[in-house]
Amino acid sequence: MKKLGIVITDGVGYRNFIMSNFMEEAVPQMDQIIIYSGLPASIYSIDQWPNVTVHELDVYHEGPISFIFRKWKEIAHMEKSKHNFGMTDNNRTNYPKSNSLKNLIVKFFYIVSRVYSSNATILFAEKLQFLAFSKHKITRSYIELLKKDQPNLVFFTHQRPSYLAPFLYAAQRVKIPTCSFIFSWDNLASKGRMLGTFDYFLVWSQLMKDELIQFYPNTNPDGVKIVGTPQFEPYFLSQYQTDRASFLNRFQLDESKKIICFSCADKSIGGNDPLVIQMIAEAIRQEKLAVSAQLIVRTSPAEEPTRFEAIRKDYPEIRWNYPHWIQTRSNHDQMWSQRIPAVEDIFDLRAIIEHSDINVNMLSTMSLDFMLFGKPVINTVMGTETNGLYNDSRFLKYAHIKTVLDCQATQIARNETDLIAALNRYLSHPEYDAAAREKLIEIEVCKPIAGISKRITDELLQWM
């Protein structure tokens, strides 16, 4: 009997594996699919799949002892990779600012990890972390649940959320093989340690497989399969298409003008977004662009758009897309993870990508989304260590961004002059950098978007 357990932790996982073609591919191949959900069970519509069950996981709140050992593990992991700028930058950014007892202990592990940060040390810290929550009532409930269900494989759709570590531990205790999909292009080379040790992995590309083996040397290369990523699949499904006339009407855009889309980061790293939006809006007002253009701004689904109210008032001609993501739960340690996209938002995002002429963003994954539709991309990095703006130029040293730079797939705008020049170049010659964009997509995504859900299903079946 083929029984798959799939762990969906957040709204992006919900989009990638519920709103894509994954269930349509996986359900006929499995005798049973059990969704272990970090989101409320009520969000799933599964009546059409009689062999699918949803278990809403009890919310685990991390205790202080487990937190300390997890932080030790993460700090040591990033210290071990200090040759990598992204790791070092995140380690420095996360250094505690206050001197509470908990933070003093974390600071102690920063000191310890300068000397002891071997792979053995990291795995020892993880063992202590897992031991700390092994007797927790939530952990025990997870163990009993998996003993009852007995899936052949537990598939995690995200490798990082620490609140799912007890569920991974439970699977290990019940001796159920585990697999994880690597969530995003920057996760391995700049983010913290995974939530634990998995048996198998699904990755986007050969580049991601190489990074996985580099940062997790105990990984068996034969247990890592390259499949691409389902996050782009909805763009190529007919049910999410919007014709141009409907798109223009929905956002009150002018058919005769080129469309520039600025896609925002969240406020934690997008501090310069309002400035860049203002620059583009002023360039349009003052007729500094080569052709008539208009601006649509898509804000981040991870936050409310209140920080843009002043710009909206000053530039009423800007069109806005506030992502329609629904907050499903209020009692969670990571509230942003409990937001899921409405179907309407998939329509909006796909239409914006397809029908816009240029995308501008601050080194976001959205660059890849637009490139898949052949659209030119401008990456803005206005801040430095000395000019008083949020220092986003440091991200140019991150490994995944260096790949973008090496391919010369985007125009980099460090100031208003660069930005206007790049806009005019792409408005006049949208084919500029097209070959470089295709090269980057080949490196980062690797596999064709068509068939991604089938490839994932086929690989999962091999491990069951």
Side-chain angles (χ1 to χ4, degrees):
M1 178 180 246
K2 299 292 186 182
K3 187 185 290 190
L4 174 67
I6 175 170
V7 184
I8 296 180
T9 64
D10 55 23
V12 178
Y14 179 85
R15 182 195 66 190
N16 289 353
F17 291 92
I18 300 297
M19 304 181 81
S20 68
N21 256 4
F22 175 75
M23 295 300 285
E24 281 71 18
E25 290 288 346
V27 167
Q29 300 293 323
M30 307 291 175
D31 296 297
Q32 186 178 3
I33 293 179
I34 306 168
I35 298 173
Y36 297 105
S37 180
L39 299 160
S42 59
I43 69 172
Y44 298 92
S45 299
I46 60 171
D47 291 344
Q48 72 272 35
W49 302 315
N51 60 335
V52 176
T53 304
V54 178
H55 290 320
E56 181 179 328
L57 297 177
D58 292 333
V59 178
Y60 167 71
H61 299 284
E62 187 175 48
I65 304 301
S66 176
F67 167 83
I68 288 168
F69 289 131
R70 174 175 63 82
K71 292 300 294 183
W72 180 19
K73 175 180 73 173
E74 293 174 352
I75 293 164
H77 174 74
M78 290 190 280
E79 182 66 27
K80 179 176 179 288
S81 304
K82 61 184 177 183
H83 61 281
N84 178 285
F85 180 83
M87 293 288 195
T88 301
D89 187 55
N90 267 302
N91 221 15
R92 181 172 58 246
T93 301
N94 292 329
Y95 189 79
K97 304 298 189 293
S98 70
N99 286 323
S100 67
L101 177 59
K102 185 169 72 173
N103 282 345
L104 286 172
I105 295 172
V106 171
K107 288 180 179 181
F108 169 75
F109 283 121
Y110 268 87
I111 297 170
V112 168
S113 295
R114 292 172 191 166
V115 180
Y116 301 104
S117 59
S118 66
N119 198 53
T121 298
I122 295 167
L123 293 176
F124 177 67
E126 179 174 292
K127 183 177 180 180
L128 293 177
Q129 176 202 359
F130 280 33
L131 183 64
F133 59 61
S134 63
K135 303 299 182 183
H136 193 286
K137 64 179 182 178
I138 298 292
T139 307
R140 293 200 303 269
S141 74
Y142 292 164
I143 292 172
E144 292 306 312
L145 180 61
L146 288 172
K147 282 182 178 179
K148 178 183 176 183
D149 290 343
Q150 287 294 320
N152 301 108
L153 178 73
V154 175
F155 173 44
F156 288 71
T157 58
H158 195 321
Q159 84 286 357
R160 291 195 63 235
S162 58
Y163 56 86
L164 286 174
F167 196 76
L168 175 61
Y169 170 80
Q172 293 170 346
R173 279 288 307 273
V174 185
K175 301 189 184 305
I176 298 171
T178 59
C179 169
S180 183
F181 177 73
I182 302 300
F183 183 71
S184 189
W185 68 334
D186 64 342
N187 279 190
L188 294 174
S190 63
K191 303 295 185 181
R193 184 80 178 181
M194 291 186 198
L195 64 94
T197 303
F198 299 94
D199 299 301
Y200 308 108
F201 294 93
L202 298 177
V203 298
W204 293 26
S205 63
Q206 183 64 50
L207 173 63
M208 190 175 281
K209 180 175 180 177
D210 293 342
E211 289 177 340
L212 178 61
I213 294 168
Q214 173 189 350
F215 292 110
Y216 296 85
N218 286 9
T219 302
N220 176 9
D222 293 334
V224 183
K225 300 300 180 182
I226 300 169
V227 294
T229 174
Q231 80 178 54
F232 304 127
E233 188 177 44
Y235 300 155
F236 299 91
L237 299 177
S238 59
Q239 64 261 38
Y240 295 119
Q241 291 182 2
T242 303
D243 64 77
R244 183 171 178 82
S246 298
F247 164 71
L248 294 173
N249 181 64
R250 171 161 172 70
F251 291 103
Q252 296 297 291
L253 292 161
D254 188 334
E255 167 69 33
S256 67
K257 296 180 179 180
K258 297 289 187 180
I259 301 171
I260 301 166
C261 171
F262 182 83
S263 44
C264 300
D266 66 72
K267 62 184 178 181
S268 67
I269 59 171
N272 298 327
D273 286 352
L275 173 64
V276 178
I277 293 169
Q278 183 179 25
M279 287 179 179
I280 299 172
E282 281 295 327
I284 294 172
R285 274 189 180 182
Q286 297 176 26
E287 299 182 349
K288 293 182 178 180
L289 301 184
V291 299
S292 294
Q294 56 201 322
L295 174 62
I296 183 170
V297 176
R298 177 175 167 89
T299 58
S300 169
E303 65 177 2
E304 297 300 322
T306 51
R307 65 189 178 113
F308 300 106
E309 284 303 315
I311 289 183
R312 183 168 183 170
K313 181 179 179 181
D314 292 342
Y315 297 91
E317 68 270 28
I318 296 176
R319 300 295 179 253
W320 295 84
N321 172 226
Y322 301 131
H324 186 185
W325 284 52
I326 302 160
Q327 191 72 46
T328 63
R329 181 184 277 145
S330 58
N331 60 333
H332 200 277
D333 291 343
Q334 297 184 12
M335 288 297 297
W336 62 267
S337 73
Q338 301 299 295
R339 297 165 69 98
I340 64 168
V343 172
E344 169 192 317
D345 190 62
I346 305 297
F347 276 97
D348 285 347
L349 178 56
R350 188 200 182 283
I352 289 170
I353 294 170
E354 180 179 11
H355 299 301
S356 293
D357 295 286
I358 298 174
N359 176 241
V360 184
N361 70 73
M362 195 284 292
L363 302 172
S364 164
T365 320
M366 288 300 299
S367 297
L368 301 179
D369 299 57
F370 279 86
M371 288 181 194
L372 284 166
F373 282 79
K375 303 305 172 75
V377 176
I378 300 167
N379 292 139
T380 59
V381 282
M382 302 286 180
T384 68
E385 292 182 353
T386 58
N387 69 359
L389 299 175
Y390 175 78
N391 183 16
D392 48 17
S393 63
R394 75 185 197 277
F395 294 125
L396 293 172
K397 301 177 186 178
Y398 277 48
H400 68 292
I401 300 302
K402 290 185 73 174
T403 303
V404 178
L405 299 178
D406 290 345
C407 290
Q408 298 181 320
T410 71
Q411 294 285 299
I412 303 297
R414 299 175 184 269
N415 52 51
E416 185 176 7
T417 301
D418 288 350
L419 178 59
I420 293 173
L423 285 169
N424 281 326
R425 170 171 284 175
Y426 282 148
L427 286 169
S428 301
H429 301 285
E431 75 284 355
Y432 197 87
D433 295 330
R437 292 193 292 272
E438 292 176 3
K439 180 181 178 182
L440 180 65
I441 289 294
E442 183 178 348
I443 291 172
E444 292 289 357
V445 182
C446 195
K447 297 287 187 178
I449 302 301
I452 171 65
S453 289
K454 184 178 186 306
R455 285 195 297 275
I456 291 175
T457 301
D458 289 345
E459 294 298 348
L460 295 174
L461 283 167
Q462 294 296 316
W463 294 323
M464 294 175 67

